Amino acid sequence: MGNARGFLDFKRMDFKKIAPKERVLNFKEFTKPLNKKEQEIQGGRCMDCGVAFCHTGVLAQGKEVGCPLHNLIPEWNDLIYRSLWKEAYERLDLTNPFPEFTGRVCPAPCEDSCVCAINGESVSIKNNELAIIENAFKEGFVKSNSPQKYNGKKIAIIGSGPSGLSCGTTLNALGYKVSIYERSDRAGGLLMYGIPDMKLEKSIVDRRINELKKSGIEFKVKQNIDSKDKVAKLLKEFDAIVLCTGASEPIDLKIEGRELKGIKFAMDFLSENTKSLLDTKKPATTAKGKDVLVIGSGDTSVDCIAVATRQGAKSITRFERSPKRSLTRKADNPWPLKADIFKTDYGLEEAIAVYGKDPREYQKLTQKFLGKNGAVQSVVASELKSELKDGKMVKVEVANSAKSYKADLVLLAMGFSGTQKEIKQNFNVKLDEKNNISTQNFQTNHKKIFACGDARIGQSLVVWAIKDGLDCALAVHKSFEKDK
């Protein structure tokens, strides 16, 4: 390694951000990269650890430890420190087919597992990764990964999200003729319609899709495989099918008043806005002038707040069932686990700046929706507290704590409960107890049908979906090798 004292000699520098009140005036990405020399210095902060955890890529106690893709992080950090940017890209490309996506949207468990993070600031791994891939595109290092020859086998991939793309690009490189089916009007799945432009501009997705097309992958959009007849046709035409359909069944809140207009699933709200931007260059106006309530506390809720702010919401509130997190790690969340601490993500920063208050309301139990003329107007919610019952801490309602909150737009961002039931019916595949597609080494109960990504493992990070797609491709390949 080039500088064993870099973590002592150099301070961490992150990408600069456009101020919240300025960036909410549009839907563009708002980070400003460091210059090349500054980024090289950030690579020099890597410690040359005796035992590095940043690329471990495992789950422990339900938390990530290091990068699921096992990126060779210390190696490409050192390479950019030594100004060897092409070599850094080649090392990054060995493990991650889409660093431009993870470098933007991944919550970077690698950084929480960095040795520097034990008692200081971690290496800026995520920014280093993004700088490497963007430089690679700029310098023409990124080449279409076409196979030298095809092996005569055809694979249909259903879904063009991160797992579908990673599975497809790997199978294509192995010599399979790959066709990716997407029910929407544009390829990219979650990357296109589930993640707002501010985090991932759609030109970035299109750039990669175009490279995959050049490599020989066929994309078929507006192709919803929604009947047994369509599945039968694919099974006849292709040697294998891979289901990369995501965990697309949203968790609902079936309480009094749920039928009122103005109550939407978060993903519908986000995708409608993105489609409007793509089709008309203008955002949707769903939240304009409205009192918005977001129910849920994950990344999707933050995205909803960011989009609603840009659409011109009158006010924004977010309900969480959990208490406010600690500012520092607790005893049950030690390093190198992903840190479970209080953070204020980009959309929350923006809401605080625009509306003058933090939108987060903690330990709330939503009880019913109230409306007029068929449309929601308010929400009744109670306080929650934690109590010890039968040796377990459980959340219970605080007596007489019910309160009404104004809301004429409610966005349900409580996560997903597995695959859509139509997948089970049309493809005749079994689901597990969590409503995910059941597999053994990625193969379903149907010999020719495989599954990967959130459809198989449940709601997860983009980086886990990419990893699952890569592993599934190898499983498909091995199944054909075994049958020879």
Side-chain angles (χ1 to χ4, degrees), residues 354-374:
V354 171
Y355 301 102
K357 64 181 286 291
D358 195 319
R360 289 171 282 196
E361 296 272 353
Y362 301 98
Q363 295 182 283
K364 295 293 182 185
L365 175 65
T366 311
Q367 292 187 314
K368 60 182 176 180
F369 302 114
L370 300 176
K372 186 177 180 181
N373 298 326

Side-chain angles (χ1 to χ4, degrees), residues 190-220:
L190 173 77
L191 301 167
M192 180 61 70
Y193 281 123
I195 298 173
D197 293 57
M198 302 84 74
K199 288 168 71 172
L200 178 61
E201 289 188 10
K202 303 316 160 190
S203 60
I204 302 299
V205 181
D206 287 336
R207 181 178 65 181
R208 179 58 71 172
I209 297 292
N210 289 334
E211 287 296 329
L212 297 180
K213 287 178 180 177
K214 290 178 188 176
S215 75
I217 296 175
E218 179 184 35
F219 285 86
K220 297 189 175 187

Side-chain angles (χ1 to χ4, degrees), residues 339-356:
D340 187 15
I341 59 175
F342 180 81
K343 294 179 180 178
T344 301
D345 209 340
Y346 82 107
L348 296 164
E349 287 178 349
E350 292 163 0
I352 292 168
V354 171
Y355 301 102

Side-chain angles (χ1 to χ4, degrees), residues 16-33:
K16 298 176 179 66
K17 294 180 181 179
I18 297 172
K21 284 189 176 181
E22 183 181 348
R23 70 193 192 221
V24 298
L25 300 177
N26 59 61
F27 286 81
K28 296 179 180 178
E29 291 182 14
F30 52 83
T31 55
K32 297 180 178 180

Side-chain angles (χ1 to χ4, degrees), residues 219-428:
F219 285 86
K220 297 189 175 187
V221 298
K222 297 183 182 178
Q223 297 290 322
N224 194 0
I225 312 303
D226 55 358
S227 72
K228 290 184 178 181
D229 287 344
K230 290 180 180 180
V231 174
K233 187 177 179 181
L234 288 182
L235 285 169
K236 190 175 180 180
E237 181 181 353
F238 291 90
D239 297 286
I241 294 173
V242 185
L243 298 176
C244 306
T245 48
S248 47
E249 189 67 36
I251 295 173
D252 206 344
L253 188 58
K254 296 179 180 178
I255 57 175
E256 182 181 338
R258 174 62 182 88
E259 75 286 351
L260 293 167
K261 292 180 181 178
I263 302 171
K264 301 172 68 74
F265 288 118
M267 201 55 65
D268 292 340
F269 171 74
L270 295 175
S271 61
E272 286 167 7
N273 189 74
T274 298
K275 183 163 175 54
S276 181
L277 286 169
L278 288 167
D279 290 347
T280 70
K281 308 299 182 187
K282 295 179 181 179
T285 56
T286 314
K288 188 173 182 178
K290 293 185 178 178
D291 295 302
V292 178
L293 171 65
V294 181
I295 301 177
S297 59
D299 290 341
T300 302
S301 74
V302 175
D303 293 338
C304 284
I305 290 169
V307 171
T309 302
R310 284 165 174 75
Q311 287 186 3
K314 182 180 178 182
S315 70
I316 300 178
T317 304
R318 185 176 88 171
F319 281 177
E320 303 185 26
R321 286 179 61 89
S322 301
K324 187 175 180 179
R325 288 175 169 82
S326 168
L327 292 173
T328 56
R329 289 180 182 268
K330 291 185 177 181
D332 61 352
N333 179 226
W335 180 92
L337 302 183
K338 180 166 176 57
D340 187 15
I341 59 175
F342 180 81
K343 294 179 180 178
T344 301
D345 209 340
Y346 82 107
L348 296 164
E349 287 178 349
E350 292 163 0
I352 292 168
V354 171
Y355 301 102
K357 64 181 286 291
D358 195 319
R360 289 171 282 196
E361 296 272 353
Y362 301 98
Q363 295 182 283
K364 295 293 182 185
L365 175 65
T366 311
Q367 292 187 314
K368 60 182 176 180
F369 302 114
L370 300 176
K372 186 177 180 181
N373 298 326
V376 68
Q377 285 191 324
S378 62
V379 178
V380 176
S382 298
E383 303 289 331
L384 288 169
K385 64 178 180 179
S386 296
E387 283 187 0
L388 189 65
K389 283 190 176 181
D390 300 324
K392 293 183 178 179
M393 293 300 294
V394 295
K395 294 182 178 70
V396 297
E397 181 184 350
V398 176
N400 303 315
S401 63
K403 181 181 174 183
S404 179
Y405 296 80
K406 288 180 67 177
D408 46 7
L409 176 62
V410 177
L411 303 175
L412 305 179
M414 302 174 295
F416 298 85
S417 59
T419 193
Q420 291 178 312
K421 59 181 180 294
E422 290 83 0
I423 300 295
K424 176 184 177 181
Q425 295 166 357
N426 295 329
F427 289 87
N428 194 27

Side-chain angles (χ1 to χ4, degrees), residues 1-10 41 43-50 78 81-82 115-116 123:
M1 295 286 282
N3 188 340
R5 284 183 49 87
F7 71 103
L8 296 173
D9 294 341
F10 309 130
I41 289 172
R45 293 189 67 243
C46 199
M47 289 178 62
D48 191 14
C49 304
D78 181 54
Y81 176 64
R82 294 190 283 132
V115 173
C116 286
V123 175

